[in-house]
Amino acid sequence: MVNLSWPLILTNLTMSLISATDVLMIGWLGAEDLAAASLGFNLCMLAAIFCMGLMTASAPMFASEFGRMHNSVRDVRRTFRQSFWVAVTIIIPIWLVLWQAEALLIQMGQKPELAAKAEIYVRVYMLSILPFMMLMVMRNFISALERPLWSLVIGIIGVLANILVNYALIFGNFGFPALGIMGAGIASIACNALMVMGMIIVLTSDKQFRRYRLFGNFWRADWARYRAVWSLGLPIAVSFGLEGGVFSIAVILMGWIDTLSVAAHAIALQIASISFMVPMGLAQAATVRVGLGHGRRDPAMIHRAGWTAFVLGTGFMTLMALSLWLFPVELASLFIDYDNPDAYAVLALAVDFLMLAAIFQIADGAQVVGAGMLRGLQDTRIPMVFAAFGYWVVGIGVGAGLAFWADWDGVGIWTGLASGLAVVAILMLTRWMMRDRLGLVPEPT
């Protein structure tokens, strides 16, 4: 599990570094450009997260097909092909919606001048979502074969390429024109396209991957498998969207309290999100290992793989929780500018939030690994219901109630987030423990 998960964890970090690099370099243009690009990027990311969830369906399908062995080459190739077909299908309506970015942002109450500038960025950046989806499918394929190191290598190349192309196109270096935020969008397209080409080279040249002939007969339809990708992937996509949406709403609720709460919330969430990459990688590994056991009809392997990932994920997040409890001031201070007159007020709030973020960390690790374990059993619809209930009914309901009716302010919102994640974790774990009774585990052969 560790051998499979550590390259996945670092690959996830490279994807975070690519977006962080964009923010850093656009920030050098000035506050208005950064604000416009941030609005556009967040709009695109809502679509990208949904698409990522849809493509995640290929991971348990690949793993189960590898586990079955019988006709695995043919089945894997067809799943690969139909996942690409689904990507092309979903991207068309997404592009049509994102093309109207200015109107959407104005409807959300954003300033017209920022919305107009954000649309320039979105209309370019949105083209990078399709290669991103294709990259996800290829990464899922090599992860299911338990060879994820190539994903990390390609991810590192992507980070370096993104830095160079951003530097060239945003500021007009190396003889290129200075395109500002449009240059950042073009850089994202170039970066994702480069990583796709790199992955294609790997898949067509590495002996272990080449034998699957993944790009053969790419025009040939398999409608049953096409529907299977949609059936398995759509609940995952909705779950991802629900989780991303709840954190967007939390920022809005913080804004209703005061500006200092928003700043402190951003600090606490940034600290929490860094450690989240570890259980997220373990969840991806759990999907593969449980999926292999599912395909082999091996309940013992399913049991070992699931619980190993869960113990590693929650164990790591428990250590992170202890760090937040023991060193909240030191961690929050990394993000504080003490020359700002509000610095100490923000620090005090951030420390309060980090106390609750410690509980949040354990619950978040448990729920994401639990979801990965169930995905390995190709169980996605009921977990989607769990996500809707936990994030929105409990998380937002409890958070808003405590913040505004009990006058807990930002502490109430963080209490709600931690409560919602804990409920989702408990529901996921309960369903996992009932997997045999619910018929989620195939009978052993």
Side-chain angles (χ1 to χ4, degrees):
M1 187 65 69
V2 171
N3 286 338
L4 177 59
S5 61
W6 74 260
L8 295 173
I9 293 165
L10 293 180
T11 301
N12 293 336
L13 284 170
T14 63
M15 300 310 295
S16 297
L17 279 174
I18 288 173
S19 60
T21 300
D22 289 344
V23 172
L24 177 66
M25 290 192 166
I26 294 171
W28 295 345
L29 291 173
E32 184 176 322
D33 287 291
L34 179 58
S38 296
L39 287 172
F41 179 77
N42 287 329
L43 195 61
C44 288
M45 280 309 296
L46 287 174
I49 287 169
F50 180 88
C51 292
M52 183 172 70
L54 195 57
M55 294 300 98
T56 298
S58 61
M61 292 177 72
F62 287 143
S64 183
E65 287 153 3
F66 286 133
R68 282 199 300 271
M69 300 299 291
H70 179 65
N71 288 331
S72 66
V73 171
R74 184 199 66 184
D75 290 340
V76 164
R77 183 166 57 244
R78 290 182 177 182
T79 297
F80 186 89
R81 181 167 68 237
Q82 295 310 306
S83 296
F84 271 51
W85 281 39
V86 169
V88 173
T89 305
I90 191 64
I91 200 62
I92 294 170
I94 283 175
W95 279 343
L96 290 174
V97 171
L98 291 177
W99 190 259
Q100 308 300 322
E102 181 178 1
L104 289 171
L105 290 169
I106 289 174
Q107 287 296 315
M108 294 177 189
Q110 301 300 324
K111 294 179 181 178
E113 59 273 20
L114 283 181
K117 205 165 203 178
E119 185 176 77
I120 296 171
Y121 177 77
V122 169
R123 287 186 172 182
V124 179
Y125 182 90
M126 69 182 193
L127 299 177
S128 71
I129 298 176
L130 180 58
F132 170 73
M133 294 168 72
M134 294 175 174
L135 187 65
M136 282 290 302
V137 176
M138 291 187 276
R139 282 178 172 167
N140 290 339
F141 168 76
I142 65 174
S143 297
L145 274 174
E146 301 188 273
R147 293 278 303 279
L149 192 58
W150 276 116
S151 290
L152 177 58
V153 172
I154 298 297
I156 292 171
I157 292 171
V159 171
L160 297 175
N162 191 60
I163 292 171
L164 286 174
V165 181
N166 267 332
Y167 186 67
L169 296 182
I170 293 176
F171 307 108
N173 292 303
F174 308 130
F176 289 91
L179 300 177
I181 61 174
M182 182 184 288
I186 296 172
S188 297
I189 299 171
C191 175
N192 281 337
L194 177 65
M195 289 191 288
V196 166
M197 287 188 289
M199 197 66 79
I200 290 172
I201 292 170
V202 169
L203 295 179
T204 54
S205 59
D206 187 292
K207 185 184 297 184
Q208 185 175 358
F209 304 142
R210 190 174 60 223
R211 72 187 189 91
Y212 288 91
R213 294 184 292 111
L214 294 172
F215 300 97
N217 298 328
F218 222 73
W219 61 89
R220 186 174 296 171
D222 183 341
W223 296 116
R225 202 170 300 262
Y226 177 85
R227 288 191 296 270
V229 175
W230 275 106
S231 178
L232 189 61
L234 197 55
I236 303 173
V238 172
S239 297
F240 280 20
L242 290 169
E243 185 173 3
V246 79
F247 288 103
S248 298
I249 293 296
V251 174
I252 293 172
L253 294 177
M254 285 290 182
W256 290 355
I257 299 169
D258 55 42
T259 303
L260 298 182
S261 294
V262 175
H265 174 76
I267 292 171
L269 194 59
Q270 182 62 52
I271 293 170
S273 64
I274 293 170
S275 56
F276 178 73
M277 294 300 168
V278 173
M280 183 178 174
L282 283 162
Q284 293 166 327
T287 296
V288 170
R289 298 294 299 160
V290 171
L292 289 169
H294 182 269
R296 293 174 188 171
R297 296 179 173 268
D298 185 347
M301 181 179 181
I302 291 171
H303 177 87
R304 281 197 309 273
W307 284 118
T308 299
F310 186 82
V311 170
L312 287 171
T314 53
F316 175 83
M317 293 303 258
T318 300
L319 292 176
M320 294 301 99
L322 287 172
S323 299
L324 296 185
W325 275 323
L326 294 172
F327 309 108
V329 175
E330 291 80 0
L331 290 169
S333 294
L334 297 173
F335 299 84
I336 297 291
D337 177 9
Y338 285 102
D339 292 331
N340 190 307
D342 295 323
Y344 289 98
V346 171
L347 178 64
L349 283 171
V351 168
D352 288 341
F353 296 166
L354 285 175
M355 293 293 99
L356 289 162
I359 302 169
F360 169 102
Q361 290 267 276
I362 300 170
D364 205 13
Q367 68 85 21
V368 73
V369 178
M373 292 151 61
L374 291 173
R375 279 198 294 270
L377 299 175
Q378 302 192 17
D379 180 36
T380 60
R381 294 187 181 182
I382 298 301
M384 177 187 68
V385 176
F386 292 165
F389 174 74
Y391 299 146
W392 288 87
V393 177
V394 178
I396 295 299
V398 171
L402 292 175
F404 301 108
W405 288 306
D407 294 325
W408 286 21
D409 293 334
V411 170
I413 292 172
W414 271 89
T415 302
L417 291 175
S419 301
L421 289 169
V423 167
V424 175
I426 291 168
L427 291 171
M428 296 286 191
L429 188 59
T430 301
R431 187 165 177 83
W432 168 258
M433 291 189 292
M434 296 175 65
R435 62 190 181 279
D436 292 309
R437 196 182 315 169
L438 295 171
L440 300 177
V441 179
E443 292 293 328
T445 54

